[in-house]
Amino acid sequence: MNLPTSDTDFYQNLVSLLSNCGQSLDSQVSVAFFLEALVNTLPIGYACVWVQSTASSEKCGGRMDCYYLLSQQPSQKDEIACLPEDHPILQWMEKDEVVIIPHEDERMRIVSPNQSIEGGSTVLFRLNAYGVLKFYCPEVSLEGASVMIQAYKMAFHQFAKTLGGSLTFERLRDEIEERQFVERKLLQAQAESHERERLFRIISENAKDV
């Protein structure tokens, strides 16, 4: 897949990416749709997304100061599973929305420690406060990757917004489910308490009759 050579190609690619933003309220499903479109539409060989962990998440031990791997395309790659808060990737993302790393850059060993990179460039894109998008362009130079980012920034920003919507929906859903669980437990405890009181009264009344 090459960079677009005409306005028609550009708009077709842009429409393809935008149409695959927010395909599901399930964040993992939604991200998977977008990553697949990204790899199939642009000259990208691999892409993944890390998102911030939450207290209710089983990832990263429930820690909220790290980011965990939500989805990748293709899925067979040996990717970093969890980014602690002091990881260089997160530190770079605090300063810049976009970081482009050519294959000969020493930072590549940090970004892709488990993968063999022999050419091209890797891009890191901050998804607002929700996560980090990473993708590898095996045949695109630093300059080419910069041009691609500028051309399709609208799609990346829209993806960030829809990801935020999915994560917010899931957080609210989890909070509601937790509150309902607590309410059920409280009602159960109250019912058991009333039953014990009823039995105690019966025993007390029987004892008086004796």
Side-chain angles (χ1 to χ4, degrees):
M1 191 69 64
N2 299 317
L3 287 170
T5 56
S6 68
D7 289 345
T8 300
D9 290 339
F10 164 72
Y11 285 114
Q12 286 179 343
N13 291 347
L14 184 60
V15 168
S16 175
L17 293 177
L18 289 173
S19 65
N20 279 281
C21 291
Q23 287 287 325
S24 171
L25 286 175
D26 183 303
S27 61
Q28 189 167 23
V29 174
S30 179
V31 169
F33 268 109
F34 183 79
L35 294 185
E36 184 176 3
L38 200 62
V39 170
N40 291 334
T41 302
L42 300 181
I44 293 173
Y46 170 76
C48 72
V49 166
W50 294 281
V51 296
Q52 187 172 21
S53 181
T54 62
S56 61
S57 172
E58 297 180 356
K59 307 292 184 179
C60 300
R63 293 172 51 189
M64 298 182 66
D65 58 352
C66 64
Y67 287 66
Y68 66 92
L69 182 66
L70 179 64
S71 184
Q72 57 180 330
Q73 180 67 30
S75 59
Q76 296 84 6
K77 296 291 184 179
D78 186 10
E79 186 56 82
I80 304 171
C82 185
L83 301 175
E85 63 176 340
D86 59 350
H87 195 282
I89 288 178
L90 298 182
Q91 294 177 349
W92 300 335
M93 291 290 90
E94 287 182 359
K95 300 177 182 178
D96 301 295
E97 182 182 47
V98 180
V99 175
I100 304 174
I101 305 173
H103 71 277
E104 68 273 13
D105 194 308
E106 291 184 357
R107 292 176 296 173
M108 190 65 75
R109 290 182 294 179
I110 297 174
V111 173
S112 301
N114 306 319
Q115 301 173 22
S116 177
I117 305 296
E118 299 179 354
S121 303
T122 294
V123 176
L124 299 171
F125 192 96
R126 185 177 68 235
L127 302 171
N128 297 334
Y130 309 114
V132 177
L133 167 66
K134 165 189 163 182
F135 57 86
Y136 169 58
C137 310
E139 299 179 356
V140 179
S141 65
L142 176 66
E143 293 76 13
S146 179
V147 170
M148 183 169 62
I149 284 292
Q150 291 301 319
Y152 295 101
K153 185 171 283 189
M154 177 193 298
F156 295 131
H157 284 160
Q158 183 62 29
F159 172 58
K161 291 178 182 179
T162 57
L163 173 61
S166 295
L167 293 173
T168 299
F169 167 78
E170 290 175 346
R171 188 186 71 251
L172 293 175
R173 181 198 60 196
D174 291 344
E175 289 177 357
I176 291 172
E177 290 178 352
E178 182 178 0
R179 185 159 56 248
Q180 290 175 337
F181 175 78
V182 172
E183 290 174 350
R184 287 195 300 270
K185 287 294 185 181
L186 180 60
L187 290 174
Q188 181 181 353
Q190 291 175 339
E192 292 174 352
S193 176
H194 291 158
E195 179 63 13
R196 285 194 297 270
E197 291 176 0
R198 186 184 70 82
L199 293 175
F200 180 76
R201 286 196 301 271
I202 293 175
I203 293 173
S204 297
E205 291 172 358
N206 289 338
K208 289 178 182 178
D209 294 339
V210 174

